[in-house]
Amino acid sequence: MPKFLKIVFFIFIVQAISIFAQVNYYQSQAVFFNGNNTSYVEPYLTISGNTVKYQKVKNKWRASVNVNYKISKGNEEVKVINYNVLGSLLDDTIKIKPSFIDYQRFALPNGEYQLECTIMDNMQITKKVKQTSFFKLEYSRQKTIYTSSVMPISAYTKKKSEAINNKNGYDLVPYTINYYPKSESELTFYFEIYNADTTLGKQTSTFINYYLENSETFQRVEKHEWKTKQESKKINALISKINLEDVSSGNYNLVIEVKDSLNKLHKLQKWFFQRLNTKADSELLTKAHEKHILNIENLDTLKILVESLWARSSNKEREWQHNIIKSKNSKLIKNFLISYWTQAAGDSVKPIYKMLQYYKLIFDINAKMKCGNLPGYITDRGRVLLQYGTPNVLNQYPSKGNTYPYEVWQYYQATDAITNQKFTNKKFIFCNSSGTINDYKLIHSTMLNESQYPNWKSIVSPGNETDAATLQED
């Protein structure tokens, strides 16, 4: 099977807390530098409103969750903070319960840290959940390009405020999970670059390239590459939206490159995320046969792909196929094959599945029924198998005395792939009278428009009425 069909997608949300907990929440963090001497970490929380218990507060309903952060450096506890996060006041708890978000910031010296987050529903204190993560701070004003974490966001507003979630004139709402289901059509992110002014020069430009790549193959996603240029500053900020509507399901990296005017790479940052998009998957599979066919350059291979359709084609269609092969025009042949499998699939199944299923059958037929230089799909048995499908009963009779080897195929039900007409209880009898391996010819059939010779036994056992009388046909 072609590599592009081997779509392996594991739902592994690295920042989501256990689904077995009473409180479901998503925790992530990002690290930043203020451009002077202060580094800091920002933990973000999204708490599912449907997984917490509500209490009545003056004719309204509200949930309350206790949050405990503990930051350690080695065996040393650096910071501990404990507080409550309140949900929105609701008129009732029957309707949808919105999630609520918490946003913190901790200034810390450079170093490697462990962040432990414990969540408890204040109305169910026996239910606690905990998550541990790690981060590193390593910023300074040296002539070196540093970057922040990639911060995925769900929304932003351009305004100046003193709010903790304001960065470079934007109020940011964090998106705390690295998973984008089909309901999410965009990936929006915020990103900072530090020391471009001292490293590249104050009156120079900083070039930022960013794109999506498959995290397993590292191949770039087509039409998902962007470039921007900014004046070099102490802090350069980038905020951008990426359309995910045509990005199929899989594991990806958002890759950000920081370069100078000479295209020298100074910093590369990657952020892993997962995408689930059944619509794009469907479109990808629908067009996959086109990509597969267009990648075939060998003219003999293209000829075989067309020839192998003869068993399911009318006389008029075969004439057209013959002329296409005779033209030796690879572009014409490819266009024909793409059109053929698109029409053959219709609305019931994707063309790539239909095509691969058929050509797998061709491969099996060639392996079992090839006769000398004659491909298996052109032999009588191969043609019948392709046109009517696999028989319900296949009896093989070896050579015996004056009798040639022969086969009897029986169909309880059969559909003619050319006319789409259905038949019941039909038989095909093949005989190998030449002695050549696999040289079985169709000598009789009860199927309409096929060779009919009721006295077929005289062919299998010529000149010997006694032997012919013993021949079986079921």
Side-chain angles (χ1 to χ4, degrees):
M1 183 174 287
K3 289 183 179 179
F4 61 86
L5 287 179
K6 295 180 180 178
I7 301 174
V8 181
F9 183 56
F10 301 99
I11 301 297
F12 176 65
I13 304 171
V14 296
Q15 293 168 322
I17 207 68
S18 170
I19 61 173
F20 300 104
Q22 184 68 32
V23 181
N24 282 357
Y25 75 98
Y26 304 97
Q27 190 272 321
S28 64
Q29 67 267 340
V31 295
F32 294 92
F33 182 50
N34 72 352
N36 295 319
N37 298 310
T38 305
S39 305
Y40 54 96
V41 62
E42 293 182 346
Y44 314 121
L45 281 176
T46 299
I47 300 166
S48 172
N50 290 317
T51 63
V52 290
K53 192 172 181 179
Y54 288 75
Q55 67 177 140
K56 204 162 188 179
V57 181
K58 294 181 179 180
N59 298 321
K60 299 278 187 177
W61 294 89
R62 170 176 271 171
S64 172
V65 175
N66 180 262
V67 179
N68 182 280
Y69 279 120
K70 183 171 71 174
I71 300 176
S72 304
K73 188 177 183 181
N75 295 324
E76 176 190 2
E77 283 190 4
V78 176
K79 189 177 290 290
V80 177
I81 182 173
N82 189 285
Y83 59 97
N84 290 327
V85 179
L86 301 178
S88 302
L89 285 170
L90 305 179
D91 292 329
D92 60 65
T93 57
I94 299 176
K95 298 178 181 179
I96 296 175
K97 306 177 185 71
S99 298
F100 39 110
I101 297 174
D102 182 59
Y103 189 126
Q104 297 293 326
R105 177 181 294 170
F106 304 118
L108 298 165
N110 285 344
E112 297 183 9
Y113 296 90
Q114 174 180 296
L115 175 66
E116 183 181 284
C117 175
T118 304
I119 302 289
M120 179 185 72
D121 186 342
N122 284 323
M123 298 301 294
Q124 302 176 93
I125 61 175
T126 59
K127 302 295 184 179
K128 291 185 179 181
V129 287
K130 183 186 295 184
Q131 177 178 327
T132 301
S133 55
F134 301 88
F135 65 92
K136 184 178 183 180
L137 298 174
E138 52 178 357
Y139 299 108
S140 72
R141 275 294 280 164
Q142 296 178 357
K143 289 187 176 182
T144 302
I145 295 290
Y146 293 100
T147 59
S148 70
S149 303
V150 174
M151 179 184 177
I153 55 180
S154 58
Y156 65 93
T157 305
K158 189 173 184 178
K159 65 178 181 179
K160 291 183 179 180
S161 73
E162 297 300 322
I164 191 173
N165 64 326
N166 189 276
K167 295 184 185 300
N168 285 288
Y170 292 96
D171 279 353
L172 309 175
V173 179
Y175 183 81
T176 54
I177 185 171
N178 61 340
Y179 170 57
Y180 290 81
K182 59 183 179 181
S183 58
E184 297 290 336
S185 60
E186 291 181 330
L187 186 164
T188 307
F189 70 93
Y190 176 83
F191 184 69
E192 290 183 351
I193 301 164
Y194 311 114
N195 299 341
D197 59 341
T198 57
T199 306
L200 307 182
K202 288 185 178 181
Q203 296 182 343
T204 63
S205 295
T206 299
F207 294 83
I208 309 169
N209 303 336
Y210 56 103
Y211 54 89
L212 300 185
E213 70 173 15
N214 184 295
S215 67
E216 295 158 0
T217 65
F218 303 110
Q219 292 184 337
R220 298 191 183 192
V221 179
E222 292 182 4
K223 299 179 182 179
H224 282 76
E225 302 181 42
W226 302 269
K227 296 181 180 181
T228 186
K229 179 176 70 172
Q230 297 182 5
E231 178 187 350
S232 297
K233 300 178 182 178
K234 179 191 292 188
I235 300 177
N236 286 86
L238 173 66
I239 189 167
S240 183
K241 288 184 178 182
I242 296 175
N243 191 311
L244 297 178
E245 288 185 346
D246 59 346
V247 176
S248 58
S249 300
N251 300 328
Y252 297 92
N253 292 321
L254 167 60
V255 185
I256 304 176
E257 300 174 338
V258 182
K259 296 185 175 184
D260 60 24
S261 58
L262 299 177
N263 204 36
K264 178 183 176 181
L265 179 65
H266 286 263
K267 192 71 174 181
L268 184 145
Q269 184 87 321
K270 291 189 178 185
W271 182 72
F272 172 82
F273 70 96
Q274 296 186 312
R275 173 68 169 155
L276 177 63
N277 188 357
T278 52
K279 179 182 177 182
D281 295 343
S282 176
E283 292 175 354
L284 177 67
L285 288 173
T286 300
K287 296 180 180 179
H289 73 300
E290 297 182 22
K291 182 176 180 181
H292 184 49
I293 292 170
L294 291 172
N295 285 337
I296 300 172
E297 299 299 334
N298 188 289
L299 195 59
D300 289 335
T301 301
L302 292 170
K303 175 176 177 265
I304 291 171
L305 294 181
V306 176
E307 275 186 352
S308 62
L309 300 175
W310 288 357
R312 297 188 174 190
S313 303
S314 65
N315 290 333
K316 186 176 181 180
E317 289 170 335
R318 288 178 189 175
E319 182 179 351
W320 172 238
Q321 292 164 9
H322 176 75
N323 290 333
I324 289 174
I325 293 172
K326 192 175 179 181
S327 73
K328 296 183 179 181
N329 185 324
S330 61
K331 184 177 180 180
L332 184 64
I333 297 173
K334 290 178 183 181
N335 288 339
F336 164 76
L337 288 169
I338 290 171
S339 176
Y340 179 91
W341 287 112
T342 300
Q343 293 179 26
D347 297 327
S348 59
V349 67
K350 300 297 178 288
I352 189 65
Y353 290 143
K354 191 91 170 177
M355 184 180 77
L356 290 179
Q357 184 182 39
Y358 184 75
Y359 288 132
K360 181 182 182 301
L361 180 60
I362 292 295
F363 180 85
D364 292 340
I365 288 173
N366 282 346
K368 297 174 182 177
M369 299 180 179
K370 181 180 179 181
C371 180
N373 293 324
L374 193 66
Y377 57 82
I378 292 180
T379 65
D380 283 356
R381 290 186 304 169
R383 192 268 302 171
V384 170
L385 190 61
L386 290 170
Q387 185 172 347
Y388 299 104
T390 304
N392 299 105
V393 179
L394 193 161
N395 290 319
Q396 297 175 315
Y397 300 95
S399 175
K400 184 178 179 181
N402 295 324
T403 301
Y404 297 125
Y406 70 102
E407 293 183 359
V408 179
W409 293 11
Q410 184 172 1
Y411 290 84
Y412 298 145
Q413 290 185 329
T415 301
D416 188 337
I418 298 174
T419 64
N420 207 33
Q421 189 174 355
K422 298 183 184 301
F423 300 90
T424 59
N425 196 26
K426 298 299 179 182
K427 292 182 181 179
F428 293 82
I429 298 171
F430 304 90
C431 178
N432 183 352
S433 59
S434 69
T436 304
I437 295 176
N438 285 333
D439 188 21
Y440 283 84
K441 299 287 195 303
L442 177 63
I443 58 174
H444 173 63
S445 176
T446 58
M447 179 68 74
L448 183 68
N449 297 324
E450 293 286 353
S451 298
Q452 295 183 357
Y453 188 69
N455 193 28
W456 60 269
K457 293 181 179 180
S458 63
I459 298 176
V460 176
S461 186
N464 192 323
E465 294 181 2
T466 301
D467 287 347
T470 64
L471 298 180
Q472 302 179 54
E473 56 178 300
D474 51 34

